[in-house]
């Protein structure tokens, strides 16, 4: 799951008003999405415990985040968010996820504009994912039917998890890449490609674990604690990926500095050439 952080500035940035207008639009659409009618409904006592537990779990997981290559962060809260979308009906699933993000943004004292975008983009993402899931079926009823050894219902379970994770990750990625692109001037398609390249498998893993969480919850909620280990593994793998990228970039920069220091007349030459090359590429409107 990705969200907005402090954008990296560039000379070809779209005016600030454009970003604020986009955030306002996302907030309005996110609020409106809460009015979408639920496609399925279980008795209150069935889904409400999941609502309470998953809201708390999501709030905790929001603090486990990894920076993305071109701005924003990726959180392992994808696991609890997908489970919430499957187990909790609309609009309560979106409210649960939005509340969890709001808690994290408030504790971190994130600027109002960024906090507003993050909260309402996740509300909108969860609402659309809940709508898509509802078109396929009721996860609780399908899980009960699958437990009765009906083969077709097993396929519907897989489809429900795939739809929940697919719509969730797609909408979240598009919304976040769009606002980062507006703030930095980087091409939208480039941001989607770069930020997804190294996180695709991790997001797939998060979606799978979230689906397993939901499935286990319908049988015996206590056993969902067993999924803490794979969640931790996914988090650590993401952190190692970003650490490796950062160390590689740092090593290349250090090597260039060592070469420059060998000759005082070409001191910082490599750095200047890189800056000029990037500036020329931008002026020529070349792809990233």
């Amino acid at each position: 799951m990705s969200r907005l952080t402090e954008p990296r500035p560039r000379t070809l940035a779209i005016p600030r008003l454009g970003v604020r207008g986009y955030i306002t639009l996302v907030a309005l659409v996110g609020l409106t999405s809460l009015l979408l009618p639920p496609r399925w409904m279980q008795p209150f006592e069935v889904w409400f415990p999941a609502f309470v537990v998953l809201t708390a779990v999501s709030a905790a997981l929001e603090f486990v985040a990894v920076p993305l290559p071109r701005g924003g962060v990726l959180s392992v809260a994808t696991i609890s968010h997908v489970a919430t979308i499957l187990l909790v009906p609309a609009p309560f699933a979106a409210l649960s996820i939005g509340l969890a993000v709001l808690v994290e943004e408030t504790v971190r004292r994130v600027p109002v504009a960024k906090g507003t975008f993050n909260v309402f983009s996740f509300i909108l993402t969860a609402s659309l994912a809940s709508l898509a899931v509802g078109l396929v079926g009721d996860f609780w009823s399908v899980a009960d039917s699958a437990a009765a050894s009906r083969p077709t219902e097993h396929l519907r379970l897989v489809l429900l998890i795939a739809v929940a994770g697919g719509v969730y990750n797609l909408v979240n990625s598009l919304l976040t890449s769009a606002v980062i692109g507006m703030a930095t001037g980087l091409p939208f398609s480039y941001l989607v490609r770069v930020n997804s390249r190294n996180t695709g498998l991790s997001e797939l893993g998060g979606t799978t674990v979230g689906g397993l969480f939901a499935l286990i919850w319908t049988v015996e909620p206590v056993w969902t604690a067993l999924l803490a280990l794979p969640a931790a593994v996914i988090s650590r793998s993401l952190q190692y990926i970003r650490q490796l990228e950062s160390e590689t970039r740092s090593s290349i920069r250090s090597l260039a500095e060592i070469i420059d220091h060998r000759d005082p007349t070409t001191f910082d030459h490599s750095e200047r050439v890189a800056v000029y090359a990037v500036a020329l590429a931008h002026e020529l409107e070349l792809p990233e």
Side-chain angles (χ1 to χ4, degrees):
M1 166 197 81
S2 53
R3 61 174 181 273
L4 180 62
T5 57
E6 194 67 38
R8 302 180 182 185
R10 251 188 61 181
T11 53
L12 299 177
I14 293 177
R16 190 181 185 87
L17 182 60
V19 177
R20 292 188 177 277
Y22 175 74
I23 293 174
T24 301
L25 177 62
V26 170
L28 291 175
V29 177
L31 276 175
T32 304
S33 71
L34 294 175
L35 301 178
L36 291 173
R39 304 289 302 186
W40 63 271
M41 181 60 69
Q42 289 283 339
F44 177 81
E45 61 274 12
V46 171
W47 60 263
F48 186 71
F51 172 87
V52 173
V53 172
L54 285 169
T55 300
V57 171
S58 294
L61 291 179
E62 288 294 338
F63 292 91
V64 184
V66 180
L68 289 171
R70 292 293 176 178
V73 295
L74 181 70
S75 170
V76 295
T78 297
I79 296 171
S80 54
H81 289 183
V82 169
T84 301
I85 292 166
L86 292 171
L87 293 174
V88 180
F92 301 102
L95 289 173
S96 169
I97 293 171
L99 179 60
V101 176
L102 177 62
V103 169
E104 186 268 343
E105 302 292 278
T106 302
V107 172
R108 292 189 187 276
R109 298 183 179 180
V110 173
V112 174
K114 295 181 182 62
T116 300
F117 173 79
N118 288 332
V119 171
F120 286 102
S121 67
F122 276 110
I123 287 178
L124 176 57
T125 297
S127 295
L128 293 178
S130 292
L131 177 63
V133 167
L135 295 175
V136 178
D138 173 1
F139 188 83
W140 292 90
S141 299
V142 175
D144 287 342
S145 298
S149 300
R150 298 179 184 175
T152 56
E153 296 302 88
H154 288 282
L155 293 177
R156 286 186 70 193
L157 276 178
V158 174
L159 180 59
L160 283 166
I161 295 172
V163 168
V167 174
Y168 172 88
N169 288 314
L170 176 62
V171 175
N172 178 244
S173 177
L174 295 179
L175 291 175
T176 305
S177 295
V179 73
I180 293 176
M182 289 181 180
T184 63
L186 292 170
F188 172 74
S189 59
Y190 168 75
L191 287 168
V192 173
R193 184 174 66 256
V194 170
N195 286 335
S196 301
R197 183 173 55 202
N198 292 331
T199 60
L201 287 177
S202 296
E203 289 176 345
L204 178 60
T207 297
T208 303
V209 175
L212 289 175
F213 185 106
L215 184 58
I216 294 173
W217 183 279
T218 62
V219 178
E220 179 52 65
V222 174
W223 289 104
T224 56
L226 293 175
L227 298 177
L229 180 58
V233 170
I234 292 173
S235 174
R236 292 301 296 171
S237 67
L238 288 172
Q239 292 172 356
Y240 283 133
I241 289 172
R242 291 300 296 130
Q243 181 181 349
L244 179 60
E245 290 180 348
S246 298
E247 290 176 351
T248 300
R249 292 176 182 271
S250 178
S251 297
I252 294 174
R253 184 177 295 274
S254 298
L255 181 60
E257 291 176 353
I258 292 173
I259 294 173
D260 283 342
H261 277 291
R262 291 186 60 188
D263 186 353
T265 61
T266 59
F267 183 69
D268 283 339
H269 173 69
S270 299
E271 187 76 20
R272 290 196 301 272
V273 170
V275 172
Y276 295 150
V278 171
L280 285 171
H282 287 164
E283 288 299 321
L284 294 172
E285 298 184 352
L286 296 177
E288 292 291 327

